[in-house]
Amino acid sequence: MAGAAKKRDAKARQAGRSERTDTAAPPSDSPEVARMDGPTGSSAGDDARGRRMSNAPGSRAGSAIRAGSVAHPILFDPAKKPPLNKNIDYPANVYNMFSQYYPSRNSLNFLNHHGTIYYFPKVPPLSIHLVFAMEDGILAKEARIVEGMFLDRPKDPLEEAAIEAAKKMPPDPDPKKFRHLNVDTDTHQYDLPTECVNRPGYNSSGQAVLVNINSYAVAKFPDLVVYQYDILIGSGVEKRGLVTKIWNSKTLQSEIGKGWVFDGNRLGWSMKDIGNRQFTVDLDEEQGTLARPGRSNSHKVQIRPSTKINLAAIQAYLNGKMTMDNSVLQAIDFFDHLMRVTPSKKMYTLKRSFFDPKMVKRERLGGGVEAMKGVYQSIRIAHGGRLVVNVDVSNCVFYGDYPMEVMATQVTGSANALICGEMSKKVKPSFREAEKESLTFLKLKKLKKIRFRVRYRGASEKVLKQVHMVKDFSQENCYNWYFQQKDRETGVEKKTSIFDYFMDKYNIHLSHPTMCVVETMRRGIAFPMEVCYVEPGQKYPYKIDAVQTAAMIKFAVTRPKERREGIEGGLALLNWAEDPYIKNYGLKISTDMLETQARLLAPPVVQFAKTQQKPGYSGRWRLDGQQFLLPNKHDLVHWGVCIINSVGRDNLDIAGASTFIRTFVNTYKGHGGRVSNANPPIMEGPADEAQCVTDLFARIVARTGGIKPQIMVFLLAGKDSICYERIKKSCDCRYGVVSQCMQNAHVKRGQGQYISNVLMKFNAKLGGTTSKVGGKPPGGHFKTPTMIVGADVSHASPGSLQPSMAALTCSMDKTCCRYAAACESNGHRVEMVTQFNLEDMLTPLFRQWMSDVGMGRMPQQFFYFRDGVSEGQYQHVIQQEVKHIKRIWRTLDESNKYVNYEKIRFTVIVASKRHHIRFFPKERSPAADKNMNPCPGVLVEKDVTHPFEYDFYLNSHSAIQGTARPTHYHVLMDEAKMPPNELQNMIYEHCYQYMRSTTPVSLFPAVYYAHLASKRAVSHENRPASSGAHQFNEEQQRLELIKLKEEADREGKKLSKTNSEKLNRFTEAESRPLLRMKNDSGIMWDMWYI
């Protein structure tokens, strides 16, 4: 049934495509012809529960403007926004053209600065064509046309005005302002799919094994009709706590009846059709309290139906009787919310994770935070025509439920409350500089917006129950924070301090009156810190430090047996069989863990220069006594060593460094390294890391007669990240020389295993290769010239304005062992790699590949491995990133007559580890190691994968600690048509070619290297080292400054000079490009990032 339905869909799409293609159009050489460069399909994609892409109408490229159309420019004020109405559902690519680059580059709202909007009136019927004529090629080398499908909707007033003005304007007299596209009539390169690839079959290699998976089959789900409602409580801006209180009120519940599912915000579901309802809830009346004078606690509630959801749509989709559409997505979304109702009432809730407040499994991490274990659940459609529920152990960091003064001392790292109070005062760096907030006080701001209660002798029951939220901390303490106190008997007001108020009214002598005062969200209400107690169950939103991370890993890492016990404990907490909401809707879920038939792929042999090693299913091999497959390309002659010591740390003298370097060089020679200069210059550098790099570079150049170093080695006293980043920035960007850093503590011990591990990286940076998969032909896994590109975008920690870092890696040899990398800032939390970055980074990498590997020709196969995208972004990868990559190949094709980009077969695969699927092999199974973790090579293609699409889970590594997490691979495009046996074994075996490891890695190396490069890109930020690391509250500061600016604008005032400079600095930080690497000696083609 599924296959027949898909064939019918394919025929329908082909018929629609033929109708559009047959439309009369002028010849391609006509000056009036221009074609689209991309589809305008819907941007709706998959979500975390396996949703499929939509195939929206209007997604075919190649619709031409009618001959005789005249372009009329409509210019607009650059200070205003582009004329798009965000409330209108524009086709994806029309809107993306406006929003894709903003704010990923400073002043690159490109329509305002580099383009002109052109409207093409074409009647009948009327459609609007937007042409972006680029100046100076900043974003593209040619103009682009995007067709907007605006046929069946009311026109925006701004559009109407623009169209009328266009009709009245004469043709543009200056042809230079408009450049027509020079696009070949064959639009193959833009004929991109709007659906993922269907599964071509299953892997038959290796051996069959049985594996349990932490998922549970839905034994029965209803086929009811559920009514979805839009619920507006108050004005729609009320806080979540007030919304929940109103929803649970007797008035509302008696009005709507039982059995409702509410998302806590605006959506509700019920089996009853109640139509439109409107009523008022008076909370004061319900609670039996008197209303405050001049303040109403009455709230208006409006309920109106929005849609009907037929839950039978899920089964129809799974049976192949219908395609994935909105009705299926809405039904899955309803089940997802249904399963959250009961757990959220009795446990702390974070999306799909629940944490029992009575749980004893928690770990104090220091700094006022603690780690807790909870349970995660998610319902999804799965292979086998059924729904499954994925259940796993969840770990999260929360604020501890401490007294606020204890929390403040821990967050700031103060020894006690007295020191915390003193260190929170403003500081004056020098005589001429103004006072500023101390570092201790800035750390206190991590506690902003946390909830707390107050406790003190004499407090009423109402005061004890009330929950407050921290607005800020005041520099004033309890002695000098004054307020007007009104005597209720006499009505007389007097000015009093917080300290005197507690002393006079409650006879409480505050123990720490010099600590900061806690300001609440209620205007004029503040408390001394020592009477405040942090509410439990509040997630810690910031990045934890290195010490906390180590403690968190130790807490979270559990062996398979313990993890399985935790999952079973989570099932007991969820208790689906007794959940009243699940029972009410007729949902039944099995409590038996799924068992699937997996494959155990055969392990490859590892090829070194003279020998092979067979790791078998252990996933480990030894490096001692082995020579690297390929040593450094050139003899190591020009290099040097610099020692950077620090007071109070592991310091090293020149004699100790010389002894280590001799051992280091001898070991390298034993691994096949070519070293002509075994006695490099060794110096002890100054405290300034950048000066160390300069001095070492100068000393090497002076000794070599002006020849640049091949590599520079630095021996560091500790793990100072700022020191490390300054060294890398200078080496990469100022001098264009690869570098190797080592810690003095390891240098002193000089263990052979440590030296060999470092030498794998050292050799790779000098152009060598550690090893490869053996038993393959010279071209490795590929019969035709093949290029592999990996992509990753890493984002800053919450609250930081550090830009996202995009990194791309490109294979640089026939066996795809070595990868060059490029990186660039990608805007603030922008996940899709922008077109500018793709062109800027990939063009030189592609040219280098064609020169070194392709012998002047393009690859015939192109693999694009993408990391870090959710299932809802799959279509964006195809419609944006892949489309731009194809444009790059076309540009290279036009400049080289020996290549043909149309023959490149694209395979696009998303690799993700952000999931909760775990494998639990059977006892005494060949798929289990000694810790009951899955062995390398366990492949799962059924039962928890997508019902129709081409995805699989592969465990390619040997877990050192904890429970192994497999990688989820989802094939989005497959023009190469590699059989599953070949593709999946290729992915698995390439994990044995990771350059700096003697074990297979868990992720495909191209993606792993891209992740390393994106993290290393932080050191290339164009900002002075003296500015320090990005702060945790930069985003919060920026929002506060924007609010101040808006208030100043309304009052006709100017923002202060200091605040204006801060705001400009934050805005520039979002879009400032990275420093360029100095590539005069080809550092970009070396593995500089490893």
Side-chain angles (χ1 to χ4, degrees), residues 563-637:
R563 192 178 194 95
R564 187 162 184 170
E565 290 172 354
I567 292 171
E568 291 170 353
L571 286 178
L573 283 175
L574 296 171
N575 195 11
W576 295 321
E578 300 302 323
D579 188 315
Y581 287 88
I582 291 179
K583 289 171 68 177
N584 184 42
Y585 282 88
L587 190 68
K588 293 184 179 179
I589 309 169
S590 170
T591 54
D592 296 327
M593 191 175 282
L594 274 179
E595 183 179 87
T596 186
Q597 186 169 1
R599 305 297 301 184
L600 180 59
L601 304 182
V605 297
V606 179
Q607 178 70 54
F608 287 93
K610 297 180 179 179
T611 59
Q612 289 184 342
Q613 287 210 24
K614 297 180 179 179
Y617 292 110
S618 69
R620 284 177 171 79
W621 59 93
R622 298 186 63 83
L623 192 61
D624 50 322
Q626 303 295 328
Q627 289 191 1
F628 295 139
L629 178 70
L630 295 174
N632 44 323
K633 288 190 294 187
H634 307 286
D635 282 11
L636 183 58
V637 182

Side-chain angles (χ1 to χ4, degrees), residues 42 147 206 267 327 433 469 541 582 740 810 826 905 1018 1073 1081:
S42 169
E147 181 182 18
L267 289 180
S327 61
E433 293 182 25
M469 182 176 286
I582 291 179
Q740 180 63 54
C810 179
N826 202 57
R905 300 189 300 273
V1018 174
S1081 57

